[in-house]
Amino acid sequence: MTTPIDFKAQLIAEFQLNETRMNGESRSSLHQRRRQALMHFEQLGFPTIKHEEWKYSNVKNLVNQAFNITPVASITDDDLVSLQIPNLAGNILYFINGQYQPQLSTIVSPSEEVEILPFTEGYKKYPELVEKHFAQYADDSKDAFTALNTAFAQNGAFIYVPKGKVVETPIILRFISDARTENVAIQLRNLIIVGDRAEVKVAESFRTLGEFSSFTNTVTEAFVGEEAHFDHYKVQDETQKAYHIGTTQVQHSRASQTHDTTVTLNGGWIRNNLNLVLNGEHVEAHLNGLYLPNGRQHIDNHTLVDHAMPNSYSNELYKGIIFDQATGVFNGKIFVREDAQKTNAYQSCKNVLASPEATMNTKPQLEIYADDVKCSHGTTTGQMDEEALFYLQSRGVPKEKGRALLMLAFAEDVVERIKIPAIREYLETALAKKVGEV
């Protein structure tokens, strides 16, 4: 008889065992913040499908597995050959099982323009800045996985763009889970601070090695200063046994802009939370997503755009192509506060079911407390456009190739919004393979 796994108890015990090493001085505010987050995790426990926000995403199979919570990182250049992105250039940081790999990484931008450091090094160099922003935006009092991440926060990236600096060279964070010998669980915490009138592009890439299960729990907090521009991309191409829960929390200041694009190519069980707070007038936010689950993959995208101040604008476009017996979930909420007059907010979710056994669950939401606003939302889920397919066939295009071309055209609307050429080209090639065009 198999002994049931108590993953929650294992995580709490691991925190207590490594608390001194991880937190250092017990009187530090960072340490106290971690302790508070662990208390929240103990109180909340893992969510079940009885929780409305987790109705379509059951974590039972995840939390009933045994994981190595502190896996070692041992990898070579040869191990990474299969994970390369052709022509990728920029500030490229590698993290293997959460641990920063300086020997594999390349930082080319000068520190006067942007500070790019491992999270723990960022705290040592900029303690006041980290304490000002860390765990101030991602709410760990209501979300167990955010609480868990905050408690264990030490691995990940710290990015600081000072006031007025424009970072032309993109920053690319490559997170690789090495599950070749055992199940691994990784907590990743990124803190990004973009000063007033500064600009930066940051991409997060997630890949997996090996056939064992991996669990990645990541939180990225970003503060975007006044009139600053922040482009953020997230690309997931993981294995069938990869579990991924990722939260991106962006706090906006007056007249700032964010362009966020999330593309999920593969992963056994994925949950992406994207939360934006437009906490200033004349903020502009663009949210884009693309997901293509196949087999029995499950991909869930939850978004929240909180219009907290007047005269702000948000535009959201998510698209999905669901293959085989896979499942997609989209839950998008636009929240307009009472003071947020003159808000313009738009949301659209479009899905194609490429198989009669595919499933898509959508829940667009508007919650509006202001009266002078323009807001709309809509969602569509259906089969491939048969008239367009018939047109291609009438022009001599074989049926399967025609289906693939239509899928690529459907997806391109999202992919073209990625402004890092190497990542965009990599995705175009990967998409062509996935839909069977090549």
Side-chain angles (χ1 to χ4, degrees), residues 141-243:
S141 67
K142 297 179 181 179
D143 184 276
F145 290 103
T146 299
L148 177 63
N149 181 282
T150 302
F152 281 88
Q154 61 177 336
N155 293 322
F158 169 83
I159 299 170
Y160 170 48
V161 187
K163 180 179 179 179
K165 299 295 184 180
V166 177
V167 185
E168 298 289 351
T169 305
I171 301 168
I172 299 155
L173 310 177
R174 302 212 63 192
F175 299 110
I176 297 170
S177 301
D178 185 357
R180 290 177 293 181
T181 60
E182 61 181 343
N183 292 352
V184 297
I186 302 147
Q187 311 287 335
L188 295 167
R189 186 62 170 242
N190 304 310
L191 179 59
I192 303 170
I193 302 165
V194 188
D196 294 348
R197 298 184 299 282
E199 298 182 21
V200 69
K201 295 182 179 69
V202 179
E204 299 179 47
S205 166
F206 296 88
R207 301 294 298 274
T208 311
L209 285 170
E211 298 302 320
F212 285 86
S213 293
S214 65
F215 168 41
T216 300
N217 182 29
T218 177
V219 173
T220 296
E221 284 186 297
F223 174 82
V224 187
E226 294 188 2
E227 300 179 37
H229 288 206
F230 175 51
D231 286 7
H232 178 252
Y233 310 117
K234 183 175 182 179
V235 178
Q236 298 162 303
D237 191 0
E238 303 183 80
T239 64
Q240 299 291 334
K241 291 188 177 181
Y243 294 85

Side-chain angles (χ1 to χ4, degrees), residues 253-256 278-284 309-312 341:
S253 306
R254 182 187 61 82
S256 59
L278 281 56
N279 195 31
E281 291 196 62
H282 307 293
V283 174
E284 188 172 319
M309 298 291 283
N311 299 297
S312 60
Q341 303 292 345

Side-chain angles (χ1 to χ4, degrees), residues 136-437:
Q136 297 302 308
Y137 314 120
D139 187 359
D140 57 55
S141 67
K142 297 179 181 179
D143 184 276
F145 290 103
T146 299
L148 177 63
N149 181 282
T150 302
F152 281 88
Q154 61 177 336
N155 293 322
F158 169 83
I159 299 170
Y160 170 48
V161 187
K163 180 179 179 179
K165 299 295 184 180
V166 177
V167 185
E168 298 289 351
T169 305
I171 301 168
I172 299 155
L173 310 177
R174 302 212 63 192
F175 299 110
I176 297 170
S177 301
D178 185 357
R180 290 177 293 181
T181 60
E182 61 181 343
N183 292 352
V184 297
I186 302 147
Q187 311 287 335
L188 295 167
R189 186 62 170 242
N190 304 310
L191 179 59
I192 303 170
I193 302 165
V194 188
D196 294 348
R197 298 184 299 282
E199 298 182 21
V200 69
K201 295 182 179 69
V202 179
E204 299 179 47
S205 166
F206 296 88
R207 301 294 298 274
T208 311
L209 285 170
E211 298 302 320
F212 285 86
S213 293
S214 65
F215 168 41
T216 300
N217 182 29
T218 177
V219 173
T220 296
E221 284 186 297
F223 174 82
V224 187
E226 294 188 2
E227 300 179 37
H229 288 206
F230 175 51
D231 286 7
H232 178 252
Y233 310 117
K234 183 175 182 179
V235 178
Q236 298 162 303
D237 191 0
E238 303 183 80
T239 64
Q240 299 291 334
K241 291 188 177 181
Y243 294 85
H244 184 124
I245 297 175
T247 295
T248 301
Q249 184 79 38
V250 185
Q251 185 82 2
H252 294 84
S253 306
R254 182 187 61 82
S256 59
Q257 289 190 25
T258 287
H259 292 257
D260 191 288
T261 301
T262 300
V263 178
T264 306
L265 292 169
N266 288 293
W269 193 99
I270 306 289
R271 167 67 175 254
N272 292 315
N273 302 309
L274 175 58
N275 306 316
L276 280 67
V277 179
L278 281 56
N279 195 31
E281 291 196 62
H282 307 293
V283 174
E284 188 172 319
H286 300 263
L287 300 75
N288 308 290
L290 176 67
Y291 40 96
L292 302 96
N294 67 317
R296 293 184 176 273
Q297 294 177 357
H298 176 90
I299 299 176
D300 179 350
N301 285 287
H302 267 58
T303 67
L304 169 64
V305 182
D306 182 352
H307 288 262
M309 298 291 283
N311 299 297
S312 60
Y313 171 85
S314 67
N315 194 353
E316 182 172 1
L317 174 64
Y318 270 67
K319 288 188 170 185
I321 304 174
I322 321 300
F323 299 91
D324 306 324
Q325 295 175 293
T327 303
V329 180
F330 174 80
N331 187 318
K333 184 175 183 179
I334 297 172
F335 185 78
V336 182
R337 296 181 183 272
E338 186 175 357
D339 293 335
Q341 303 292 345
K342 304 293 184 182
T343 287
N344 288 345
Y346 307 98
Q347 180 191 96
S348 176
C349 178
K350 301 178 180 180
N351 302 282
V352 173
L353 300 179
S355 161
E357 296 178 296
T359 302
M360 184 68 206
N361 299 292
T362 61
K363 186 181 179 182
Q365 301 175 74
L366 293 176
E367 191 169 337
I368 302 173
Y369 296 96
D371 52 19
D372 187 5
V373 302
K374 293 181 180 178
C375 298
S376 68
H377 65 163
T379 179
T380 60
T381 300
Q383 308 295 323
M384 186 61 63
D385 187 338
E386 293 299 328
E387 288 187 12
L389 184 58
F390 176 77
Y391 175 83
L392 291 175
Q393 287 180 271
S394 70
R395 296 300 186 271
V397 179
K399 183 176 182 179
E400 289 306 311
K401 185 173 180 61
R403 283 172 57 86
L405 290 173
L406 289 174
M407 290 180 188
L408 285 176
F410 178 80
E412 181 63 24
D413 193 21
V414 173
V415 175
E416 68 180 8
R417 302 180 188 214
I418 294 178
K419 303 306 180 185
I420 302 176
I423 295 179
R424 185 175 63 250
E425 292 163 7
Y426 162 78
L427 287 173
E428 289 170 346
T429 300
L431 287 170
K433 290 180 180 178
K434 182 133 193 178
V435 304
E437 199 275 328

